[in-house]
Amino acid sequence: MKTVKEMSQLSGISVRTLHYYDEIDLLKPSQVAENGYRYYDHEAIERLQEILLFRELEFPLKTIKKIVDSPSYDRKVALTKQIALLEAKKAHLEGVLAHARRLQEGGDTMTFTAYDKSQLQALETEAKERWGDTQAYQTFEAKTDKEAFAQVTDEMLAIMAEFGRLKDLDVVDDKVQAQVKLLQDYISEHFYPCSPEILAGLGKMYATDNRFSQTIDQAGGAGTADFVSRAIERYCL
């Protein structure tokens, strides 16, 4: 068992940060003594390793928590993907470093290809979708195949009803876009991490899948499902 100070020294993470991870339930101490001292076992150390790898890949703490807490999370699979991403970042940085050295030696100052992150960003997007969104979204889809959308949550229907009250506005209106953000946050909190990609997919489904469109229109009035779909499309631009 490691004390919080020993964990800090071992990992390079400040004691204050470890306390914060405890507060947000990202990394709980394995044991808290009567005097309030925190202690961490081997499993907690492994979890911190996972957290720090995701942080190196610039994942938000909220997303990391949802990923590592997911019942479908596979540590070995995640590590393999993390290594692939880190190798891609390394290759990108090595390219930038080599370019900087060429500039130092009087190389072509009109060449900027070394800064192109498109391939790295595509890989990061794919990884984030696979870890944080896709599997959870498929789980939700499986659930809604068995249950009518109206039975999922009364609160979701209330959100749709509010869209119905707003549908005379343009989808670019701040009130409409704020309602889309409310919907996205609600899905993330209650179902699965709702990335812009997942949200865009849901928007299309709301307009084309009768299981959703009929229920949404019942909640907000005729045309609400199409309005929500268009509002989401605008939000995700």
Side-chain angles (χ1 to χ4, degrees):
M1 299 284 278
K2 301 287 187 183
T3 65
V4 68
K5 182 178 180 180
E6 289 171 335
M7 279 285 278
S8 174
Q9 293 172 339
L10 179 67
S11 64
I13 300 298
S14 70
V15 171
R16 178 177 295 181
T17 297
L18 289 169
H19 286 177
Y20 178 66
Y21 285 0
D22 182 10
E23 290 175 11
I24 64 173
D25 294 329
L26 178 61
L27 180 69
K28 303 294 292 184
S30 308
Q31 177 183 334
V32 179
E34 291 183 2
N35 59 8
Y37 286 5
R38 296 169 169 85
Y39 294 93
Y40 298 83
D41 61 13
H42 183 71
E43 185 175 348
I45 294 172
E46 286 188 339
R47 183 175 171 104
L48 180 58
Q49 288 279 12
E50 295 174 296
I51 292 167
L52 295 183
L53 280 171
F54 279 119
R55 289 299 288 156
E56 284 294 321
L57 295 170
E58 300 178 359
F59 278 58
L61 293 178
K62 184 178 180 180
T63 301
I64 295 172
K65 184 179 184 305
K66 289 178 178 177
I67 292 172
V68 298
D69 285 346
S70 170
S72 62
Y73 177 66
D74 187 314
R75 183 176 292 173
K76 291 183 179 179
V77 172
L79 187 59
T80 298
K81 293 176 181 177
Q82 287 167 335
I83 289 171
L85 266 175
L86 289 167
E87 286 178 341
K89 292 189 74 171
K90 176 185 176 185
H92 173 74
L93 289 173
E94 286 177 341
V96 174
L97 178 60
H99 177 65
R101 285 172 174 161
R102 287 194 294 271
L103 291 176
Q104 188 179 43
E105 295 168 359
D108 184 5
T109 58
M110 298 301 293
T111 300
F112 292 86
T113 55
Y115 306 110
D116 183 5
K117 289 187 176 182
S118 58
Q119 291 184 339
L120 176 59
Q121 289 170 343
L123 185 59
E124 288 176 342
T125 298
E126 179 185 357
K128 289 179 180 180
E129 289 176 358
R130 288 180 180 274
W131 276 320
D133 300 321
T134 304
Q135 191 163 16
Y137 174 56
Q138 290 172 349
T139 299
F140 179 66
E141 272 201 307
K143 179 179 179 181
T144 54
D145 282 340
K146 298 177 183 178
E147 302 177 24
F149 181 61
Q151 296 175 336
V152 175
T153 170
D154 290 339
E155 293 176 340
M156 179 71 87
L157 292 179
I159 291 172
M160 296 305 177
E162 181 60 26
F163 272 113
R165 288 186 281 272
L166 296 172
K167 67 176 182 285
D168 289 336
L169 300 175
D170 194 293
V171 293
V172 303
D173 190 279
D174 289 345
K175 291 181 180 178
V176 177
Q177 291 299 296
Q179 188 68 8
V180 176
K181 178 64 164 60
L182 177 66
L183 173 64
Q184 182 183 33
D185 290 346
Y186 183 85
I187 294 170
S188 292
E189 181 178 354
H190 295 278
F191 298 110
Y192 47 81
C194 188
S195 69
E197 293 80 11
I198 292 295
L199 183 63
L202 284 172
K204 293 177 182 178
M205 185 184 299
Y206 290 162
T208 60
D209 190 324
N210 286 337
R211 293 175 305 160
F212 293 92
S213 58
Q214 290 178 3
T215 304
I216 293 171
D217 282 355
Q218 287 174 2
T224 301
D226 181 67
F227 178 73
V228 174
S229 179
R230 291 186 290 109
I232 290 174
E233 182 179 11
R234 174 67 186 186
Y235 181 85
C236 293
L237 288 177

